[in-house]
Amino acid sequence: MEFVLEARGLCKSYLENRALKPLNLSLQQGEIFSLLGPNGAGKSTTINLFLGFIKPSSGAAYINGIEVARNPVEIKRYLAYIPEQVVLYPNLTGLENLSLLSCLAGYRYNKQELRGLLMKAGLQSEAIDRYTGGYSKGMRQKVGIAGALAKKAKVLLLDEPTSGLDPKASNEFSVLLQQLSEEGTAVFMATHDIFRAREVSTRIGIMKAGELVHELRSGDMDANELEKLYLNYMHD
Amino acid sequence: MRHRILATLLYTEWLSFKREKSLLLFTLLLLAAGFYGIYSGHAEISRQRTKLAGLEQLYQDNISEMNAKYPDGADAGDIGYYHSAFARNLPDSWAALSIGQRDANPYYIKLRLLAVQNQLYNSENTNPDKLASGTFDLAFVLVYILPLFIVAICFNIYSAEKERGTLGSILSQPVSLSALLFAKFLFRFLLILTLVIFLSLVGISVNTATADSRLWLWIGGTVLYSLFWLGVCYVIVVLKKNSAFNAVSLLGLWLLFTVIMPVTFNVIIQIRQPLSEGLQLTLKQREEVHAGWDRPKEQTMQRFFTYYPKYRNTPEIGARFEWKWYYAFQELGDRSVDSLYKVYSHKLKSRSHLTSELSKLSPPATFQLFLNALCGTDIRAQLDFMESAVQYHNKLKAFYYPYLFYKKPFLESDFAFEPRHAHQSVADRNAIYPALIAMLIAFLAVLFAGAVLQLLVSSEIR
């Protein structure tokens, strides 16, 4: 079985500080993996290593079987990234932002197709031609999702996607992720939201002080049990 | 694929530029400064041209005055004393684009037959405050304001994307950071190119400057100078510091290159090549001329005849005042400072040489010298004019002396034969290419420094 996202002994240290202890992890097509953990646990470091924004101290990250650190530009053809605050060019419209992102990814869509992608990502049609300077976080996230759809990403990396979203937007977002997963995209997200993680994910990991301390299938326990388990780890 | 990404990035820059008010404002400010520079340079040179053209009327009026005063022919000595001619420094058709030395130094000299040395430095009074800041011409805009514009549109090329957070969105696409930076610099370069070519062409057509090979040199030099400043921005941008750091360091570099270095060069030149001959020369010549009144006439004439043996057999001087004796001691005053004057001129030239050598360390100073050389307004052009004014004075002497020594009356019709003078300033071709090469080297040096820094600074994006 080919893994679309894989970490083999992936490790990152800054001087004496070990931001990420050797991590082994692999995701197949369509899997949704949620990484739980407090601030500073190493979740964002892990995402940045998969993005190639930072270089591993040892071990390696792979996207679609390609080593990230050696091919930092190429892997981005298979990967989409939605940061905690999706930032778009404020003086471009939603459509122009998506056009920019998809052109950079190497795709040429006409306006109708771009519009369709934004609608599929759940953006209200009247917002499409407005400057994104006035968008809410949820709307900007939808442009980000449309960007992932546009490049037919095999892997979607998300950093705290639901923080700051209202429950309705948060729910819409979960539905979107499940759609993407059904279409075969593997999703890897860092989150604090135990309830959402339990609901949307296929697998869940708990990270503490740079170490993946527990891994489970989300069907293994309900949200309360998961919260208890998480808190147990944090109290140690 | 690669050039499609480049095209996309350029197009995005264009959209952002159109909608970013501050960038548009900077561009309009640069254009406004450029237009004002063109206007103000044009006004200054037009004023000089009008003045130079008006000299002919003054000259003719003076001749009419002389004719009215001496209707039956005059003693040439009276004419030499009361009549004045003009040495004119005619501007090149490019002069208004870069005024250079033309506002700080005389562009015409009123000459009489008297000793020339103290006439050379007489000039009209000008407000020294105005001279200190120099005339606001297109060259000023290109040398000093264009770099500020470049800094203003480039200082946050990387940091703004990072601080806004858009960097992550772009770099999570298959685009390298180098490609992104290259596109951004390329866009700005194209913008600058458009602006400087537009301003230069407007300046050239407003002043009806002859569109000869200097058109290409002007534009080429300006582009090279812009590239140097883009390179300086590149050096700071690749350090990946925050916007505030970039802005402060780039303004610091601007100050270093445009103000601190030229001022330092000035001090170095004053120390290394002090120029005391100017004052010595004036004092010595004046003492000699004044002493002429008290010296025995015969002694003065004998000394004069060693320079002009052909007048030795002319009628002897009597006891009374005679013009030829008067002009003889005037001439001896000049002769007494001959060697000092040679040293003085030589020092002025070697100072100007040292200036251009030192200036190679500061691209703005080099660029200013380059533009002045191109427009025939540099020190060299000024010294050439002074030299030609002295030559003209010699011609005047050669014209009047025979009247004095052979006691020929000076008739109304003789004015037609009086030598006239007009010096045409020309581009200083010898200074143009060394300046271009110095700017090219400066550009390559910053480019190299930037590339080395890019390798040294961590490629991680956090």
Side-chain angles (χ1 to χ4, degrees), chain A residues 12 53 55 89 91 96, chain B residues 19 161 171 173 460-461:
Chain A
K12 178 71 180 174
F53 285 0
K55 295 204 170 6
Y89 285 92
N91 41 22
E96 284 166 344
Chain B
R19 293 171 193 170
E161 295 272 342
L171 293 182
Q173 305 303 333
E460 295 197 341
I461 296 145

Side-chain angles (χ1 to χ4, degrees), chain A residues 12 14 51 53-55 73 76-77 79 81 87-92 96 100-101 103-108 131 151, chain B residues 1 4-5 8-9 12 15-16 19-20 161 164-176 459-462:
Chain A
K12 178 71 180 174
Y14 296 106
L51 278 166
F53 285 0
I54 57 178
K55 295 204 170 6
V73 174
K76 276 151 196 157
R77 283 201 243 155
L79 174 147
Y81 167 56
V87 199
L88 303 165
Y89 285 92
N91 41 22
L92 302 188
E96 284 166 344
L100 165 67
L101 293 178
C103 280
L104 292 179
Y107 291 88
R108 270 266 186 272
Y131 292 150
K151 73 200 280 193
Chain B
M1 178 70 193
R4 210 158 85 184
I5 285 180
T8 308
L9 289 170
T12 311
L15 286 181
S16 303
R19 293 171 193 170
E20 180 81 33
E161 295 272 342
R164 195 168 47 194
T166 36
L167 192 64
S169 309
I170 297 292
L171 293 182
S172 62
Q173 305 303 333
V175 176
S176 67
S459 62
E460 295 197 341
I461 296 145
R462 263 177 286 151

Side-chain angles (χ1 to χ4, degrees), chain B residues 44-45 47-48 99-107 123-124 126-127 130-137 377 382:
Chain B
E44 170 67 19
I45 291 297
R47 198 180 64 76
Q48 293 191 5
I99 304 271
Q101 298 294 321
R102 283 195 75 93
D103 56 354
N105 290 292
Y107 54 92
S123 60
E124 281 181 81
T126 320
N127 182 350
K130 239 187 105 187
L131 289 183
S133 58
T135 301
F136 194 87
D137 50 11
T377 55
Q382 189 61 35

Side-chain angles (χ1 to χ4, degrees), chain B residues 25-46:
Chain B
L25 184 73
F26 286 140
T27 306
L28 291 177
L29 277 175
L30 180 72
L31 283 174
F35 289 146
Y36 181 67
I38 291 168
Y39 160 76
S40 140
H42 181 71
E44 170 67 19
I45 291 297
S46 300

Side-chain angles (χ1 to χ4, degrees), chain B residues 116 308 331 335 389-399:
Chain B
V116 72
Y308 291 92
E331 165 116 25
R335 296 278 179 177
V390 172
Q391 294 305 324
Y392 176 50
H393 189 264
N394 286 338
K395 282 188 194 161
L396 287 176
K397 287 191 295 193
F399 175 68

